[in-house]
Amino acid sequence: MSELTMRVWRGDPEGGAFTDYPMPAVEGEVVLDVIHRIQAGPAPDLACRWNCKAGKCGSCSAEINGVPRLMCMTRMDELPTEEPVVVAPMRTFPVIRDLVTDVSFNYEVARRIPPFTPGPPPPGGYRMKQQDVERGQEFRKCIECFMCQDVCHVIRDHEENKTAFAGPRFFIRLMELDSHPLDEEDRREFTRHDAGLGYCNITKCCTEVCPEHIRITDNGIIPMKERVIDTAYDPVVWLGRKIVRRGARRPASTAGTAGEQPAAEESATA
Amino acid sequence: MSTLEDVEPVSVNLGGVRGGPDVRTLRRDAWWRFPAATTVFLTVIVTYLAWAIFQNAYYFVGASAHRDLISPFYSPCITGSCVPGAHGTFLVLHWWTITPAIFAAAIPGGFRFTCYYYRKAYYRSFWQAPPACAVADGHSRYTGESRFPLVFQNAHRYFWFLALVFNVILTIDAVMAFRMPGQGGIGVSIGTLVLVVNAALLWAYSLSCHFCRHACGGHVNQFSKAPVRYRLWKFLTPLNHRHMEIAWLSLFWVTFADLYIRLVASGWISDPKLF
């Protein structure tokens, strides 16, 4: 049986280093399987977050050979094994222990997103046609693995931007809400000013690492940028809106919390 | 029983020991290939274009060669410095004596410079922000496109409208390229095909633009109440997803079209008539 070497980051908030684990190669395994075998053998105290092992819970995000990937969806036979397979925690977030990082930054941002705000239900309740549902459904595929947040250089390489920049996961959330036919809030100024959309220079790394293959940049960030330009940077559109005042939505405040989401959202977007 | 409203906000953990070692990247694949290739390709193209624009010669193949071919960079040729016979128009700026290609450099050039795809390409390759995914960028501070001067990238939509005018003019040039003065009136040469493909690619580039998709239907929230805009959006979406390929192909072809006409106009090669 051939052998491979797993080079795994071991550490805590005090610091850390890579440790090599020579392991027998087993056909058909994914990286998470080998991590579990390390836990069962040479390093029972190795910390790693995982849950579904099916690419749907978004728990086992890590950087495998330097690229953010889900450990449960990365087959060992697609990695070069002549060199050690390097497994490190997500760079953007503080380490709790070993491969487990503190992703609370994302939950903080999520709390600031103005929630879904539908108008009063019409007689017969909310109804949406298929073409209105489709666009938002793509964003609903997000499993919140936060690899797009991890790979985004705006916060990955410039931690000071975390206070001003929401990140790609939340731009698709904002796009989903802003383009929702039942939503009545205008999130464009929030997206520009509070979420820091202007920091994004659309280098598409978020799209490249998304395990759900959401076109984060093409379908989320750039359309949202264009919507922001409509209100903030395009004098012609601004003038047009002044002359023809129709369908104006109320600007979103920054006071939203995750607990305010009306039940109508799930039924309307499902 | 506690509810979500009872949960106290947790302060964001900034400045902790961040994941993994403090190195530029852990990637071992050839991540540098894309930025390196982009740097080389864009440098070659931009250097050639700068030379071609300021050469101000050999951009028109006229009746003496039984052709009507003009370089896409020099059209519309509406200045006093245009060579005799280059397409006359209703507007001629007689006082303009420097190269007429300045228009193409400013407007289609500005359109490409502010294009979402090219932004990705040159931010990665020239600005190194970042050079590749999960590779640290080369800057100590970063504000992206939120401030001067990069906030002016938001003018992309104005360049798009102006570039459409150029597309119309270059389409007329492609139609005019079927003229064979002194050779039976109408025909098809290699130069004709070059300009027709050029016009088609430039239209494809403009129509696949992200702003075009937004303006045609992306701004709508309720597609079911805007069926025409929804159909336009549906038509443009797959084109938009090919924007990168179209951007490279059209840039290559427009440069090739200029080079081909330049070689014919300077007598290095002839333009064979196909039929």
Side-chain angles (χ1 to χ4, degrees), chain B residues 32-83:
Chain B
W32 46 268
R33 277 192 305 198
F34 173 80
T38 307
T39 303
V40 170
F41 187 75
L42 283 180
T43 303
V44 169
I45 293 270
V46 170
T47 306
Y48 171 79
L49 293 185
W51 171 77
I53 283 168
F54 288 103
Q55 190 191 29
N56 200 12
Y58 305 121
Y59 55 82
F60 179 63
V61 185
S64 60
H66 310 297
R67 295 288 184 274
D68 191 353
L69 306 172
I70 187 165
S71 160
F73 299 141
Y74 283 79
S75 185
C77 211
I78 57 172
T79 67
S81 59
C82 287
V83 295

Side-chain angles (χ1 to χ4, degrees), chain B:
Chain B
M1 187 174 70
S2 66
T3 66
L4 275 173
E5 286 79 359
D6 300 329
V7 176
E8 289 296 318
V10 182
S11 60
V12 177
N13 191 346
L14 295 175
V17 174
R18 305 176 71 198
D22 198 10
V23 295
R24 189 182 185 210
T25 185
L26 291 170
R27 286 182 66 168
R28 292 187 306 214
D29 59 333
W31 57 264
W32 46 268
R33 277 192 305 198
F34 173 80
T38 307
T39 303
V40 170
F41 187 75
L42 283 180
T43 303
V44 169
I45 293 270
V46 170
T47 306
Y48 171 79
L49 293 185
W51 171 77
I53 283 168
F54 288 103
Q55 190 191 29
N56 200 12
Y58 305 121
Y59 55 82
F60 179 63
V61 185
S64 60
H66 310 297
R67 295 288 184 274
D68 191 353
L69 306 172
I70 187 165
S71 160
F73 299 141
Y74 283 79
S75 185
C77 211
I78 57 172
T79 67
S81 59
C82 287
V83 295
H87 299 160
T89 63
F90 57 91
L91 173 67
V92 177
L93 308 175
H94 294 288
W95 47 270
W96 188 293
T97 53
I98 59 171
T99 174
I102 290 290
F103 295 118
I107 294 171
F111 180 46
R112 287 191 188 253
F113 186 81
T114 57
C115 162
Y116 286 105
Y117 173 68
Y118 284 109
R119 275 144 77 176
K120 170 197 167 184
Y122 63 71
Y123 283 141
R124 280 198 187 190
S125 54
F126 287 93
W127 198 243
Q128 303 273 300
C133 302
V135 179
D137 71 26
H139 305 273
S140 59
R141 189 169 161 270
Y142 174 86
T143 54
E145 299 177 344
S146 61
R147 296 183 186 179
F148 177 84
L150 293 181
V151 73
F152 282 103
Q153 300 278 29
N154 293 318
H156 183 53
R157 56 181 58 188
Y158 290 108
F159 284 111
W160 182 81
F161 284 113
L162 293 170
L164 287 190
V165 176
F166 275 77
N167 287 358
V168 171
I169 291 167
L170 296 183
T171 305
I172 294 170
D173 288 343
V175 173
M176 299 283 272
F178 286 90
R179 290 179 63 227
M180 305 276 161
Q183 271 194 347
I186 292 176
V188 174
S189 70
I190 296 288
T192 311
L193 295 181
V194 167
L195 290 190
V196 167
V197 172
N198 181 55
L201 285 172
L202 292 179
W203 277 111
Y205 176 61
S206 297
L207 292 176
S208 64
C209 165
H210 291 84
F211 167 67
C212 178
R213 183 172 173 237
H214 168 76
C216 289
H219 64 283
V220 174
N221 286 345
Q222 193 157 8
F223 282 142
S224 55
K225 285 193 174 172
V228 174
R229 283 179 284 176
Y230 174 62
R231 283 188 183 180
L232 264 176
W233 184 82
K234 286 284 276 186
F235 169 75
L236 292 173
T237 293
L239 206 56
N240 174 253
H241 292 163
R242 290 272 171 271
H243 194 49
M244 177 185 79
E245 292 87 341
I246 296 169
W248 283 126
L249 195 56
S250 62
L251 179 63
F252 169 77
W253 198 269
V254 74
T255 308
F256 170 69
D258 176 85
L259 179 65
Y260 181 82
I261 289 165
R262 198 166 292 280
L263 291 174
V264 174
S266 59
W268 281 63
I269 59 173
S270 61
D271 177 41
K273 185 179 179 183
L274 299 177
F275 50 88

